[in-house]
Amino acid sequence: MREGLALKLKYNLLMLFLLMLCLHKSNCNPSEYQQEQGSALSESSIEPILPAASPSVEPQPFLPSLAPSPLTPFTNKSVPRLSGLCKLSFSAAESMISMASVDCLANFAPYLANVMCCPQLQATIEVLLGQTSKETGFLALDGTLAKHCLSDVEQILSSRGASDDLQHLCSIHPSKLTEASCPIRDVKDFESSVDSSKLLMACEKIDLVNECCTQRCQNAISEAAKKIALSGYGVSSMDGAHNINEQGSRIDDCESIVRRWLARKLELSTSKKVLRGISNCKLNQDCPLTFPDIHNVSTNCGSEANNVTACCVSVDKYVSHLQKQSFTTNLQALNCASSLGVKLQKANITKNLYSVCHVSLKDFSLQESGCLLPSLPSDATFDLSSGISFVCDLNDNIAAPWPSTNQLPSSSCNKTTKLPALPAAASGHSGPHGKWLAFALLFTALLALATLI
C-alpha cells in the first residue's frame, strides 16, 4: 500500500513538474504527451447523449462531453448513479448540462461559483423543467420527485468532472424544483392567467448590454409573476404590512415559474441567453466578497497616522485576504471597492487609500496576475490542448474609485467609471488571453499540489 501511495505521489509531482516546465518554456504541446500515453480519448468523437429520463435499470456509462486534459489528471470522472425515478428530459438540455459541468469543474467551482457555476446551474435546472413541461404539462415537480431529480442532476454533472457539492455551494434545494408558494404549476393555467405573447415579445430578443438598465424582460417577468401570485387569492389577501414578506416570497417563487415557461417556449440558445442575462443583472448589483475586520488598516491609516509605508502595507495585507475568495466581474469589483471605501470612511479614514496605495479594481478579484471577468454572462472552456480557460481582461487596469460620500452607489446604470462589457481579450488579441491561460493552468497546478500536502 505504501508503494502504491509513493507511486501516486511521484506521478502527481511529475505531472506538476511537466506543467510548470510547459509554462516556463511556453512551447509545450500537450497533444504530443497524449499520443505517448495513448490515443483512446483523442480518437473518440462520439457526442454524449443523455437519457430522456432516469433509467429504471442500472445505467450505462456516459461518454464525457469533454475529455479530461492531460494537464489536469486529477479531474474526477465516473459513472453517474441515477435514481431511476426522475423524468426530466435530460437529452433536451444536453448543451446546458455540458456547459454547467465545465463552469462548475470541481477544483474551480468555489472560485467561479457566483459568476459562472451557480448561474449556469440554475439556468440548466430551469431549462430542464421548462423542456420537460412539454411532455408533462407541468412547470414544477412534487417534493419527492424534486429530491430525486436534483440528486440526478448533481450526479450527472459530477460524473463529468463538476463539483459533487453543488447543492451546498449554490444553495439549491429540492424546493427550487417545485412551485413552492406559487399557486400555479400547470401550463394551461399559466397561459390563461398571463399575457403570454407580451411576455415572449419582451424576452425573446433580449438586449444583454442594456437589459440591466431598461429591465424590459425583467419587468415582463415580474408583471407575469405578480398576476399568477394573486391568482386564486384575491387582492385583499395580499394587502397589509404583515404580508409583505409573504408577498415577496410568493412573487419570487412565481418568477421562477415564469422563467421555466420561457425556457419551454424559447429556443435553447435563447433560453440560456435570457436566463443567464437576467441572472447577471442581479449578481452585478452586489459584492460577493466578505470583508475582514479593518482594525489594522484604521490604526495604520487613520487621521493620526503619518507613516504612508506602514499604511499601505496594512492595506496590501487586507486586500490580499479579499484576493483569495472569488473571481468577480467588473461591476462586482466596483461594488466591492465602494463597499470597502464606505467601511473605511466610517472608521474615520478620510484620505483616498486607493490612490495612495495604488489599489485597482483587479485587486477585488481572485489573484495571481489579476482577473476581472466581463459584466456580461461568460463561461469557461475546456479542451485537450489547453485544459480549462476563460477570458478576462489583463489590459483593463482601472483604478479603484474612492467613494465621494459614505453612501453606496444607487445603481450600476449611474456609475461614471467606464467598464467594458466584454474584455479586451475577446477582441481577438491572443496575448492577454494567452497570459491568462497560463495563469489558469498554473492555478490548476497549485490546486493539484494542495491535494498532495
Side-chain angles (χ1 to χ4, degrees):
M1 184 174 181
R2 284 183 179 177
E3 293 178 356
L5 290 173
L7 181 60
K8 181 178 180 181
L9 179 62
K10 290 179 180 178
Y11 172 77
N12 285 322
L13 288 175
L14 176 61
M15 294 302 301
L16 180 60
F17 172 77
L18 289 174
L19 173 58
M20 301 301 286
L21 183 63
C22 290
L23 295 174
H24 177 69
K25 296 296 184 181
S26 298
N27 60 359
C28 178
N29 187 354
S31 61
E32 294 178 1
Y33 173 83
Q34 183 190 8
Q35 291 173 1
E36 295 175 2
Q37 299 299 317
S39 59
L41 286 175
S42 62
E43 291 175 355
S44 175
S45 60
I46 302 175
E47 293 295 329
I49 300 178
L50 285 170
S54 303
S56 56
V57 296
E58 185 68 15
Q60 296 299 313
F62 288 118
L63 292 173
S65 63
L66 295 167
S69 168
L71 294 178
T72 53
F74 47 90
T75 300
N76 176 45
K77 292 291 175 182
S78 61
V79 177
R81 296 181 179 180
L82 304 183
S83 65
L85 299 173
C86 179
K87 303 302 180 183
L88 290 178
S89 299
F90 292 113
S91 59
E94 162 60 23
S95 62
M96 295 288 289
I97 293 172
S98 294
M99 184 57 68
S101 69
V102 180
D103 288 344
C104 299
L105 192 68
N107 298 296
F108 284 87
Y111 306 101
L112 293 173
N114 92 89
V115 288
M116 287 187 193
C117 173
C118 297
Q120 179 63 22
L121 176 60
Q122 182 62 48
T124 299
I125 290 174
E126 289 177 339
V127 167
L128 280 168
L129 291 167
Q131 290 295 312
T132 302
S133 72
K134 293 179 179 180
E135 301 174 5
T136 64
F138 295 101
L139 295 164
L141 304 177
D142 64 43
T144 302
L145 282 179
K147 183 177 180 180
H148 291 303
C149 288
L150 183 56
S151 175
D152 283 0
V153 169
E154 193 170 41
Q155 281 287 321
I156 291 170
L157 292 174
S158 178
S159 74
R160 295 185 174 198
S163 169
D164 58 2
D165 192 31
L166 293 180
Q167 291 190 44
H168 176 263
L169 187 65
C170 298
S171 299
I172 292 184
H173 310 289
S175 61
K176 295 290 186 179
L177 281 70
T178 69
E179 69 274 26
S181 63
C182 187
I184 287 181
R185 64 195 295 262
D186 186 278
V187 172
K188 292 181 179 179
D189 292 340
F190 177 92
E191 293 178 346
S192 65
S193 301
V194 303
D195 188 341
S196 57
S197 60
K198 180 181 178 181
L199 178 59
L200 276 177
M201 186 178 298
C203 295
E204 63 183 352
K205 294 183 179 180
I206 188 172
D207 180 354
L208 292 182
V209 175
N210 297 312
E211 171 61 28
C212 295
C213 294
T214 63
Q215 299 185 358
R216 182 168 179 261
C217 177
Q218 295 172 84
N219 287 338
I221 291 175
S222 179
E223 181 183 341
K226 289 176 181 177
K227 283 186 178 180
I228 61 176
L230 293 172
S231 176
Y233 287 87
V235 176
S236 60
S237 66
M238 295 290 286
D239 291 336
H242 63 283
N243 283 329
I244 291 179
N245 290 335
E246 182 183 349
Q247 289 181 43
S249 177
R250 185 177 297 166
I251 291 173
D252 287 344
D253 292 336
C254 288
E255 284 187 353
S256 180
I257 294 293
V258 177
R259 291 193 298 269
R260 297 172 198 177
W261 182 85
L262 284 171
R264 165 193 170 91
K265 302 295 288 187
L266 299 174
E267 294 291 333
L268 195 60
S269 59
T270 306
S271 294
K272 180 180 186 292
K273 183 179 179 181
V274 169
L275 296 176
R276 288 291 304 274
I278 60 179
S279 174
N280 262 49
C281 289
K282 295 178 180 179
L283 68 87
N284 279 326
Q285 295 175 0
D286 299 319
C287 171
L289 304 181
T290 300
F291 295 114
D293 184 81
I294 60 171
H295 175 73
N296 289 337
V297 177
S298 60
T299 299
N300 292 313
C301 302
S303 57
E304 298 181 0
N306 297 317
N307 191 330
V308 175
T309 300
C311 170
C312 289
V313 166
S314 65
V315 170
D316 288 343
K317 287 182 179 180
Y318 186 90
V319 171
S320 69
H321 289 290
L322 304 180
Q323 295 167 349
K324 298 174 183 177
Q325 295 183 30
S326 171
F327 286 106
T328 60
T329 68
N330 287 328
L331 291 178
Q332 284 181 325
L334 192 58
N335 291 328
C336 292
S338 297
S339 297
L340 179 57
V342 169
K343 192 177 182 71
L344 292 171
Q345 288 177 348
K346 289 181 177 179
N348 295 321
I349 296 176
T350 56
K351 55 188 172 185
N352 184 345
L353 294 188
Y354 295 161
S355 177
V356 172
C357 301
H358 307 291
V359 177
S360 70
L361 286 182
K362 285 182 184 177
D363 292 321
F364 294 91
S365 188
L366 195 73
Q367 289 289 304
E368 181 61 37
S369 299
C371 171
L372 287 179
L373 295 175
S375 56
L376 295 182
S378 61
D379 296 292
T381 58
F382 188 50
D383 58 51
L384 288 172
S385 61
S386 61
I388 186 170
S389 60
F390 40 91
V391 176
C392 60
D393 186 8
L394 296 184
N395 291 325
D396 183 17
N397 199 24
I398 300 175
W402 184 256
S404 56
T405 62
N406 60 353
Q407 294 182 352
L408 295 175
S410 59
S411 170
S412 62
C413 297
N414 298 327
K415 286 181 170 60
T416 56
T417 302
K418 294 183 179 180
L419 296 169
L422 291 174
S427 64
H429 300 293
S430 60
H433 181 73
K435 184 178 179 182
W436 166 241
L437 177 59
F439 166 61
L441 295 177
L442 175 59
F443 183 61
T444 306
L446 293 177
L447 288 173
L449 181 60
T451 63
L452 302 178
I453 299 175

